[in-house]
Amino acid sequence: MVKTKVKFIYIFIILTAFLLILNTTLIRSNTNNIYDQASLFTSDERSDLENQAKAVSDQYNMDVVIVTTDNTMSKSSQVYADDFYEENNIGRNNSGDGILLLIDLDNREVYISTSGAAIKYLSDQRLDNIINQVLENGMADQDYYRVSVKFLKSTSDYLSKGVIT
């Protein structure tokens, strides 16, 4: 009888641990890709961007996210983006692999935050190139959809080139 209870306790502990790990994995991989807090996109644009971002995310097994805001709560773009990343459980795998584009209307800036494996793909030079392409393709015209499409395309292009050596 005692052996049966001990076996039951071990099985219960193992199953509980497995469910906790599975739950954490599901939460991380169930991330939205578009957080349009500034209401810059139409519903069709948001849906299209969501599909494009999910495709890039799935292809490279890292979250690719676009966030728009018109209120950073007095935070810099960098702090807002990094806090948003963590508070919304963005990132895949145990290392939180992901890329976040912040279109910050409050500070009038565009910022890209990277985490985990994304850091190995997107050097400072590559990030600068992506930001320059984004700025040249829609920011001046306030065409935020075009900006976002360009971000996704440029990011995908650099991810396809592989890790920086």
Side-chain angles (χ1 to χ4, degrees):
M1 181 75 170
V2 171
K3 285 185 178 181
T4 305
K5 267 188 172 178
V6 170
K7 284 182 183 178
F8 177 75
I9 290 172
Y10 282 130
I11 291 171
F12 179 76
I13 290 171
I14 290 170
L15 284 174
T16 302
F18 176 75
L19 289 173
L20 287 173
I21 291 168
L22 181 63
N23 188 33
T24 301
T25 303
L26 289 174
I27 288 171
R28 281 220 176 254
S29 65
N30 220 1
T31 302
N32 289 329
N33 295 82
I34 307 301
Y35 296 85
D36 187 18
Q37 298 174 326
S39 300
L40 301 180
F41 307 122
T42 66
S43 60
D44 287 343
E45 289 172 339
R46 193 170 28 261
S47 177
D48 183 54
L49 291 171
E50 185 75 40
N51 291 334
Q52 289 183 52
K54 279 193 185 304
V56 175
S57 296
D58 292 344
Q59 183 174 359
Y60 295 100
N61 195 28
M62 63 179 70
D63 285 335
V64 178
V65 173
I66 298 170
V67 177
T68 71
T69 188
D70 54 7
N71 182 4
T72 60
M73 298 171 283
S74 300
K75 296 179 184 178
S76 70
S77 295
Q78 179 180 357
V79 170
Y80 185 86
D82 292 345
D83 286 352
F84 190 94
Y85 197 96
E86 288 187 25
E87 291 166 5
N88 289 280
N89 294 315
I90 297 170
R92 293 189 183 185
N93 308 312
N94 290 334
S95 54
D97 305 334
I99 305 159
L100 181 148
L101 169 70
L102 175 65
I103 300 174
D104 177 1
L105 300 181
D106 191 14
N107 294 307
R108 309 299 298 163
E109 293 180 341
V110 175
Y111 182 80
I112 298 174
S113 181
T114 57
S115 180
I119 295 168
K120 296 176 184 175
Y121 285 87
L122 298 178
S123 65
D124 288 342
Q125 181 181 1
R126 285 182 174 183
L127 288 171
D128 287 344
N129 289 342
I130 292 171
I131 288 175
N132 287 335
Q133 290 174 18
V134 161
L135 292 174
E136 294 169 1
N137 287 281
M139 281 303 289
D141 302 330
Q142 299 179 343
D143 186 347
Y144 302 113
Y145 173 74
R146 193 171 74 178
V147 165
S148 300
V149 169
K150 188 60 176 179
F151 162 74
L152 293 170
K153 172 80 171 98
S154 299
T155 299
S156 180
D157 289 347
Y158 280 120
L159 292 173
S160 73
K161 291 180 181 181
V163 174
I164 303 292
T165 55

PDB file of all heavy atoms in Angstrom, residues 97-127:
ATOM      1  N   ASP A  97      13.294  34.179 -27.777  1.00  0.00           N
ATOM      2  CA  ASP A  97      13.704  34.638 -29.100  1.00  0.00           C
ATOM      3  C   ASP A  97      12.626  35.484 -29.754  1.00  0.00           C
ATOM      4  O   ASP A  97      11.490  35.042 -29.897  1.00  0.00           O
ATOM      5  CB  ASP A  97      14.003  33.438 -30.008  1.00  0.00           C
ATOM      6  CG  ASP A  97      15.022  32.486 -29.401  1.00  0.00           C
ATOM      7  OD1 ASP A  97      15.836  32.940 -28.581  1.00  0.00           O
ATOM      8  OD2 ASP A  97      14.993  31.289 -29.745  1.00  0.00           O
ATOM      9  N   GLY A  98      13.004  36.714 -30.159  1.00  0.00           N
ATOM     10  CA  GLY A  98      12.030  37.550 -30.821  1.00  0.00           C
ATOM     11  C   GLY A  98      12.540  38.919 -31.201  1.00  0.00           C
ATOM     12  O   GLY A  98      13.627  39.342 -30.794  1.00  0.00           O
ATOM     13  N   ILE A  99      11.713  39.591 -32.008  1.00  0.00           N
ATOM     14  CA  ILE A  99      12.008  40.929 -32.530  1.00  0.00           C
ATOM     15  C   ILE A  99      10.732  41.756 -32.402  1.00  0.00           C
ATOM     16  O   ILE A  99       9.654  41.279 -32.767  1.00  0.00           O
ATOM     17  CB  ILE A  99      12.422  40.848 -34.017  1.00  0.00           C
ATOM     18  CG1 ILE A  99      13.585  39.888 -34.205  1.00  0.00           C
ATOM     19  CG2 ILE A  99      12.744  42.233 -34.570  1.00  0.00           C
ATOM     20  CD1 ILE A  99      13.729  39.365 -35.606  1.00  0.00           C
ATOM     21  N   LEU A 100      10.870  42.965 -31.914  1.00  0.00           N
ATOM     22  CA  LEU A 100       9.721  43.846 -31.751  1.00  0.00           C
ATOM     23  C   LEU A 100      10.016  45.179 -32.413  1.00  0.00           C
ATOM     24  O   LEU A 100      11.043  45.797 -32.136  1.00  0.00           O
ATOM     25  CB  LEU A 100       9.439  44.058 -30.260  1.00  0.00           C
ATOM     26  CG  LEU A 100       8.251  44.939 -29.890  1.00  0.00           C
ATOM     27  CD1 LEU A 100       7.640  44.443 -28.582  1.00  0.00           C
ATOM     28  CD2 LEU A 100       8.647  46.400 -29.749  1.00  0.00           C
ATOM     29  N   LEU A 101       9.123  45.600 -33.300  1.00  0.00           N
ATOM     30  CA  LEU A 101       9.173  46.945 -33.877  1.00  0.00           C
ATOM     31  C   LEU A 101       8.192  47.805 -33.111  1.00  0.00           C
ATOM     32  O   LEU A 101       7.011  47.467 -33.002  1.00  0.00           O
ATOM     33  CB  LEU A 101       8.781  46.935 -35.356  1.00  0.00           C
ATOM     34  CG  LEU A 101       8.553  48.333 -35.979  1.00  0.00           C
ATOM     35  CD1 LEU A 101       9.878  49.085 -36.105  1.00  0.00           C
ATOM     36  CD2 LEU A 101       7.863  48.220 -37.321  1.00  0.00           C
ATOM     37  N   LEU A 102       8.681  48.920 -32.575  1.00  0.00           N
ATOM     38  CA  LEU A 102       7.819  49.885 -31.902  1.00  0.00           C
ATOM     39  C   LEU A 102       7.688  51.123 -32.781  1.00  0.00           C
ATOM     40  O   LEU A 102       8.697  51.749 -33.134  1.00  0.00           O
ATOM     41  CB  LEU A 102       8.400  50.289 -30.541  1.00  0.00           C
ATOM     42  CG  LEU A 102       7.640  51.396 -29.803  1.00  0.00           C
ATOM     43  CD1 LEU A 102       6.232  50.931 -29.418  1.00  0.00           C
ATOM     44  CD2 LEU A 102       8.421  51.855 -28.581  1.00  0.00           C
ATOM     45  N   ILE A 103       6.454  51.451 -33.148  1.00  0.00           N
ATOM     46  CA  ILE A 103       6.155  52.720 -33.804  1.00  0.00           C
ATOM     47  C   ILE A 103       5.606  53.613 -32.696  1.00  0.00           C
ATOM     48  O   ILE A 103       4.472  53.446 -32.251  1.00  0.00           O
ATOM     49  CB  ILE A 103       5.150  52.552 -34.958  1.00  0.00           C
ATOM     50  CG1 ILE A 103       5.717  51.606 -36.017  1.00  0.00           C
ATOM     51  CG2 ILE A 103       4.810  53.910 -35.565  1.00  0.00           C
ATOM     52  CD1 ILE A 103       4.743  51.258 -37.130  1.00  0.00           C
ATOM     53  N   ASP A 104       6.442  54.522 -32.232  1.00  0.00           N
ATOM     54  CA  ASP A 104       6.167  55.335 -31.054  1.00  0.00           C
ATOM     55  C   ASP A 104       5.808  56.759 -31.479  1.00  0.00           C
ATOM     56  O   ASP A 104       6.682  57.559 -31.798  1.00  0.00           O
ATOM     57  CB  ASP A 104       7.416  55.326 -30.157  1.00  0.00           C
ATOM     58  CG  ASP A 104       7.301  56.202 -28.930  1.00  0.00           C
ATOM     59  OD1 ASP A 104       6.243  56.829 -28.733  1.00  0.00           O
ATOM     60  OD2 ASP A 104       8.286  56.259 -28.177  1.00  0.00           O
ATOM     61  N   LEU A 105       4.518  57.045 -31.490  1.00  0.00           N
ATOM     62  CA  LEU A 105       4.059  58.378 -31.875  1.00  0.00           C
ATOM     63  C   LEU A 105       4.251  59.397 -30.749  1.00  0.00           C
ATOM     64  O   LEU A 105       4.321  60.600 -31.012  1.00  0.00           O
ATOM     65  CB  LEU A 105       2.590  58.338 -32.293  1.00  0.00           C
ATOM     66  CG  LEU A 105       2.258  57.429 -33.481  1.00  0.00           C
ATOM     67  CD1 LEU A 105       0.777  57.513 -33.810  1.00  0.00           C
ATOM     68  CD2 LEU A 105       3.108  57.747 -34.682  1.00  0.00           C
ATOM     69  N   ASP A 106       4.357  58.924 -29.525  1.00  0.00           N
ATOM     70  CA  ASP A 106       4.543  59.808 -28.380  1.00  0.00           C
ATOM     71  C   ASP A 106       5.920  60.477 -28.431  1.00  0.00           C
ATOM     72  O   ASP A 106       6.037  61.694 -28.301  1.00  0.00           O
ATOM     73  CB  ASP A 106       4.382  59.008 -27.086  1.00  0.00           C
ATOM     74  CG  ASP A 106       4.287  59.869 -25.844  1.00  0.00           C
ATOM     75  OD1 ASP A 106       4.075  61.087 -25.955  1.00  0.00           O
ATOM     76  OD2 ASP A 106       4.413  59.306 -24.733  1.00  0.00           O
ATOM     77  N   ASN A 107       6.952  59.674 -28.655  1.00  0.00           N
ATOM     78  CA  ASN A 107       8.330  60.190 -28.738  1.00  0.00           C
ATOM     79  C   ASN A 107       8.770  60.457 -30.175  1.00  0.00           C
ATOM     80  O   ASN A 107       9.908  60.860 -30.403  1.00  0.00           O
ATOM     81  CB  ASN A 107       9.306  59.218 -28.073  1.00  0.00           C
ATOM     82  CG  ASN A 107       9.079  59.097 -26.588  1.00  0.00           C
ATOM     83  OD1 ASN A 107       9.040  60.085 -25.878  1.00  0.00           O
ATOM     84  ND2 ASN A 107       8.907  57.865 -26.112  1.00  0.00           N
ATOM     85  N   ARG A 108       7.866  60.178 -31.138  1.00  0.00           N
ATOM     86  CA  ARG A 108       8.164  60.372 -32.570  1.00  0.00           C
ATOM     87  C   ARG A 108       9.401  59.571 -32.989  1.00  0.00           C
ATOM     88  O   ARG A 108      10.320  60.091 -33.611  1.00  0.00           O
ATOM     89  CB  ARG A 108       8.337  61.853 -32.912  1.00  0.00           C
ATOM     90  CG  ARG A 108       7.233  62.782 -32.443  1.00  0.00           C
ATOM     91  CD  ARG A 108       5.882  62.499 -33.008  1.00  0.00           C
ATOM     92  NE  ARG A 108       5.866  62.656 -34.458  1.00  0.00           N
ATOM     93  CZ  ARG A 108       4.917  62.162 -35.226  1.00  0.00           C
ATOM     94  NH1 ARG A 108       3.921  61.491 -34.699  1.00  0.00           N
ATOM     95  NH2 ARG A 108       4.944  62.331 -36.518  1.00  0.00           N
ATOM     96  N   GLU A 109       9.415  58.279 -32.626  1.00  0.00           N
ATOM     97  CA  GLU A 109      10.551  57.413 -32.920  1.00  0.00           C
ATOM     98  C   GLU A 109      10.083  56.048 -33.390  1.00  0.00           C
ATOM     99  O   GLU A 109       8.949  55.643 -33.145  1.00  0.00           O
ATOM    100  CB  GLU A 109      11.417  57.205 -31.667  1.00  0.00           C
ATOM    101  CG  GLU A 109      12.119  58.440 -31.184  1.00  0.00           C
ATOM    102  CD  GLU A 109      12.956  58.198 -29.947  1.00  0.00           C
ATOM    103  OE1 GLU A 109      12.745  57.194 -29.234  1.00  0.00           O
ATOM    104  OE2 GLU A 109      13.833  59.027 -29.693  1.00  0.00           O
ATOM    105  N   VAL A 110      11.014  55.359 -34.040  1.00  0.00           N
ATOM    106  CA  VAL A 110      10.853  53.960 -34.381  1.00  0.00           C
ATOM    107  C   VAL A 110      11.989  53.241 -33.667  1.00  0.00           C
ATOM    108  O   VAL A 110      13.127  53.693 -33.701  1.00  0.00           O
ATOM    109  CB  VAL A 110      10.960  53.737 -35.906  1.00  0.00           C
ATOM    110  CG1 VAL A 110      10.906  52.269 -36.242  1.00  0.00           C
ATOM    111  CG2 VAL A 110       9.865  54.491 -36.623  1.00  0.00           C
ATOM    112  N   TYR A 111      11.657  52.145 -33.016  1.00  0.00           N
ATOM    113  CA  TYR A 111      12.674  51.415 -32.258  1.00  0.00           C
ATOM    114  C   TYR A 111      12.482  49.927 -32.480  1.00  0.00           C
ATOM    115  O   TYR A 111      11.346  49.449 -32.574  1.00  0.00           O
ATOM    116  CB  TYR A 111      12.567  51.747 -30.753  1.00  0.00           C
ATOM    117  CG  TYR A 111      13.630  51.065 -29.941  1.00  0.00           C
ATOM    118  CD1 TYR A 111      14.922  51.572 -29.881  1.00  0.00           C
ATOM    119  CD2 TYR A 111      13.360  49.882 -29.252  1.00  0.00           C
ATOM    120  CE1 TYR A 111      15.916  50.935 -29.156  1.00  0.00           C
ATOM    121  CE2 TYR A 111      14.345  49.235 -28.534  1.00  0.00           C
ATOM    122  CZ  TYR A 111      15.612  49.765 -28.485  1.00  0.00           C
ATOM    123  OH  TYR A 111      16.594  49.125 -27.776  1.00  0.00           O
ATOM    124  N   ILE A 112      13.593  49.188 -32.542  1.00  0.00           N
ATOM    125  CA  ILE A 112      13.538  47.734 -32.678  1.00  0.00           C
ATOM    126  C   ILE A 112      14.233  47.115 -31.470  1.00  0.00           C
ATOM    127  O   ILE A 112      15.380  47.442 -31.166  1.00  0.00           O
ATOM    128  CB  ILE A 112      14.207  47.247 -33.978  1.00  0.00           C
ATOM    129  CG1 ILE A 112      13.484  47.819 -35.190  1.00  0.00           C
ATOM    130  CG2 ILE A 112      14.210  45.710 -34.025  1.00  0.00           C
ATOM    131  CD1 ILE A 112      14.153  47.502 -36.525  1.00  0.00           C
ATOM    132  N   SER A 113      13.521  46.218 -30.811  1.00  0.00           N
ATOM    133  CA  SER A 113      14.056  45.477 -29.671  1.00  0.00           C
ATOM    134  C   SER A 113      14.243  44.024 -30.090  1.00  0.00           C
ATOM    135  O   SER A 113      13.376  43.446 -30.736  1.00  0.00           O
ATOM    136  CB  SER A 113      13.073  45.561 -28.498  1.00  0.00           C
ATOM    137  OG  SER A 113      13.569  44.876 -27.373  1.00  0.00           O
ATOM    138  N   THR A 114      15.382  43.442 -29.729  1.00  0.00           N
ATOM    139  CA  THR A 114      15.656  42.044 -30.052  1.00  0.00           C
ATOM    140  C   THR A 114      15.981  41.286 -28.767  1.00  0.00           C
ATOM    141  O   THR A 114      16.481  41.860 -27.806  1.00  0.00           O
ATOM    142  CB  THR A 114      16.835  41.895 -31.029  1.00  0.00           C
ATOM    143  OG1 THR A 114      17.989  42.524 -30.468  1.00  0.00           O
ATOM    144  CG2 THR A 114      16.520  42.514 -32.374  1.00  0.00           C
ATOM    145  N   SER A 115      15.717  39.983 -28.802  1.00  0.00           N
ATOM    146  CA  SER A 115      15.989  39.146 -27.640  1.00  0.00           C
ATOM    147  C   SER A 115      16.366  37.741 -28.101  1.00  0.00           C
ATOM    148  O   SER A 115      15.916  37.274 -29.151  1.00  0.00           O
ATOM    149  CB  SER A 115      14.756  39.094 -26.742  1.00  0.00           C
ATOM    150  OG  SER A 115      14.984  38.283 -25.607  1.00  0.00           O
ATOM    151  N   GLY A 116      17.165  37.077 -27.297  1.00  0.00           N
ATOM    152  CA  GLY A 116      17.526  35.687 -27.576  1.00  0.00           C
ATOM    153  C   GLY A 116      18.273  35.535 -28.885  1.00  0.00           C
ATOM    154  O   GLY A 116      19.169  36.314 -29.203  1.00  0.00           O
ATOM    155  N   ALA A 117      17.883  34.537 -29.655  1.00  0.00           N
ATOM    156  CA  ALA A 117      18.559  34.232 -30.919  1.00  0.00           C
ATOM    157  C   ALA A 117      18.499  35.380 -31.918  1.00  0.00           C
ATOM    158  O   ALA A 117      19.373  35.494 -32.782  1.00  0.00           O
ATOM    159  CB  ALA A 117      17.960  32.976 -31.543  1.00  0.00           C
ATOM    160  N   ALA A 118      17.500  36.235 -31.815  1.00  0.00           N
ATOM    161  CA  ALA A 118      17.370  37.356 -32.754  1.00  0.00           C
ATOM    162  C   ALA A 118      18.586  38.267 -32.704  1.00  0.00           C
ATOM    163  O   ALA A 118      18.966  38.862 -33.713  1.00  0.00           O
ATOM    164  CB  ALA A 118      16.107  38.154 -32.461  1.00  0.00           C
ATOM    165  N   ILE A 119      19.217  38.360 -31.556  1.00  0.00           N
ATOM    166  CA  ILE A 119      20.407  39.203 -31.407  1.00  0.00           C
ATOM    167  C   ILE A 119      21.533  38.700 -32.308  1.00  0.00           C
ATOM    168  O   ILE A 119      22.301  39.492 -32.862  1.00  0.00           O
ATOM    169  CB  ILE A 119      20.853  39.245 -29.930  1.00  0.00           C
ATOM    170  CG1 ILE A 119      19.776  39.931 -29.088  1.00  0.00           C
ATOM    171  CG2 ILE A 119      22.199  39.933 -29.763  1.00  0.00           C
ATOM    172  CD1 ILE A 119      19.961  39.788 -27.583  1.00  0.00           C
ATOM    173  N   LYS A 120      21.610  37.389 -32.485  1.00  0.00           N
ATOM    174  CA  LYS A 120      22.658  36.799 -33.326  1.00  0.00           C
ATOM    175  C   LYS A 120      22.414  37.060 -34.817  1.00  0.00           C
ATOM    176  O   LYS A 120      23.333  37.060 -35.610  1.00  0.00           O
ATOM    177  CB  LYS A 120      22.752  35.295 -33.077  1.00  0.00           C
ATOM    178  CG  LYS A 120      23.166  34.951 -31.666  1.00  0.00           C
ATOM    179  CD  LYS A 120      23.147  33.458 -31.450  1.00  0.00           C
ATOM    180  CE  LYS A 120      23.461  33.121 -30.001  1.00  0.00           C
ATOM    181  NZ  LYS A 120      23.340  31.690 -29.750  1.00  0.00           N
ATOM    182  N   TYR A 121      21.158  37.269 -35.193  1.00  0.00           N
ATOM    183  CA  TYR A 121      20.799  37.526 -36.586  1.00  0.00           C
ATOM    184  C   TYR A 121      20.869  39.005 -36.952  1.00  0.00           C
ATOM    185  O   TYR A 121      21.201  39.354 -38.074  1.00  0.00           O
ATOM    186  CB  TYR A 121      19.369  37.042 -36.879  1.00  0.00           C
ATOM    187  CG  TYR A 121      19.221  35.561 -37.007  1.00  0.00           C
ATOM    188  CD1 TYR A 121      18.994  34.764 -35.887  1.00  0.00           C
ATOM    189  CD2 TYR A 121      19.293  34.934 -38.243  1.00  0.00           C
ATOM    190  CE1 TYR A 121      18.843  33.391 -36.005  1.00  0.00           C
ATOM    191  CE2 TYR A 121      19.141  33.569 -38.378  1.00  0.00           C
ATOM    192  CZ  TYR A 121      18.922  32.794 -37.244  1.00  0.00           C
ATOM    193  OH  TYR A 121      18.770  31.448 -37.377  1.00  0.00           O
ATOM    194  N   LEU A 122      20.499  39.848 -35.999  1.00  0.00           N
ATOM    195  CA  LEU A 122      20.361  41.271 -36.302  1.00  0.00           C
ATOM    196  C   LEU A 122      21.421  42.090 -35.563  1.00  0.00           C
ATOM    197  O   LEU A 122      21.206  42.534 -34.437  1.00  0.00           O
ATOM    198  CB  LEU A 122      18.951  41.755 -35.949  1.00  0.00           C
ATOM    199  CG  LEU A 122      17.825  41.084 -36.735  1.00  0.00           C
ATOM    200  CD1 LEU A 122      16.476  41.588 -36.272  1.00  0.00           C
ATOM    201  CD2 LEU A 122      17.994  41.285 -38.221  1.00  0.00           C
ATOM    202  N   SER A 123      22.534  42.277 -36.225  1.00  0.00           N
ATOM    203  CA  SER A 123      23.607  43.112 -35.681  1.00  0.00           C
ATOM    204  C   SER A 123      23.138  44.564 -35.644  1.00  0.00           C
ATOM    205  O   SER A 123      22.094  44.908 -36.218  1.00  0.00           O
ATOM    206  CB  SER A 123      24.846  43.006 -36.571  1.00  0.00           C
ATOM    207  OG  SER A 123      24.552  43.547 -37.855  1.00  0.00           O
ATOM    208  N   ASP A 124      23.920  45.415 -35.000  1.00  0.00           N
ATOM    209  CA  ASP A 124      23.580  46.842 -34.975  1.00  0.00           C
ATOM    210  C   ASP A 124      23.482  47.400 -36.388  1.00  0.00           C
ATOM    211  O   ASP A 124      22.600  48.203 -36.682  1.00  0.00           O
ATOM    212  CB  ASP A 124      24.615  47.635 -34.166  1.00  0.00           C
ATOM    213  CG  ASP A 124      24.506  47.367 -32.676  1.00  0.00           C
ATOM    214  OD1 ASP A 124      23.456  46.852 -32.228  1.00  0.00           O
ATOM    215  OD2 ASP A 124      25.470  47.676 -31.955  1.00  0.00           O
ATOM    216  N   GLN A 125      24.383  46.961 -37.264  1.00  0.00           N
ATOM    217  CA  GLN A 125      24.347  47.442 -38.651  1.00  0.00           C
ATOM    218  C   GLN A 125      23.070  47.002 -39.354  1.00  0.00           C
ATOM    219  O   GLN A 125      22.430  47.799 -40.044  1.00  0.00           O
ATOM    220  CB  GLN A 125      25.568  46.953 -39.426  1.00  0.00           C
ATOM    221  CG  GLN A 125      25.579  47.453 -40.857  1.00  0.00           C
ATOM    222  CD  GLN A 125      26.785  46.959 -41.639  1.00  0.00           C
ATOM    223  OE1 GLN A 125      27.618  46.234 -41.136  1.00  0.00           O
ATOM    224  NE2 GLN A 125      26.867  47.361 -42.893  1.00  0.00           N
ATOM    225  N   ARG A 126      22.674  45.755 -39.173  1.00  0.00           N
ATOM    226  CA  ARG A 126      21.441  45.272 -39.788  1.00  0.00           C
ATOM    227  C   ARG A 126      20.226  46.007 -39.221  1.00  0.00           C
ATOM    228  O   ARG A 126      19.304  46.359 -39.959  1.00  0.00           O
ATOM    229  CB  ARG A 126      21.292  43.762 -39.597  1.00  0.00           C
ATOM    230  CG  ARG A 126      22.221  42.961 -40.499  1.00  0.00           C
ATOM    231  CD  ARG A 126      22.021  41.475 -40.331  1.00  0.00           C
ATOM    232  NE  ARG A 126      22.814  40.724 -41.304  1.00  0.00           N
ATOM    233  CZ  ARG A 126      22.791  39.404 -41.427  1.00  0.00           C
ATOM    234  NH1 ARG A 126      22.020  38.677 -40.638  1.00  0.00           N
ATOM    235  NH2 ARG A 126      23.537  38.809 -42.346  1.00  0.00           N
ATOM    236  N   LEU A 127      20.222  46.239 -37.917  1.00  0.00           N
ATOM    237  CA  LEU A 127      19.116  46.977 -37.305  1.00  0.00           C
ATOM    238  C   LEU A 127      19.043  48.396 -37.852  1.00  0.00           C
ATOM    239  O   LEU A 127      17.955  48.896 -38.165  1.00  0.00           O
ATOM    240  CB  LEU A 127      19.261  47.006 -35.781  1.00  0.00           C
ATOM    241  CG  LEU A 127      18.986  45.688 -35.063  1.00  0.00           C
ATOM    242  CD1 LEU A 127      19.370  45.794 -33.590  1.00  0.00           C
ATOM    243  CD2 LEU A 127      17.535  45.277 -35.215  1.00  0.00           C
TER     244      LEU A 127
END
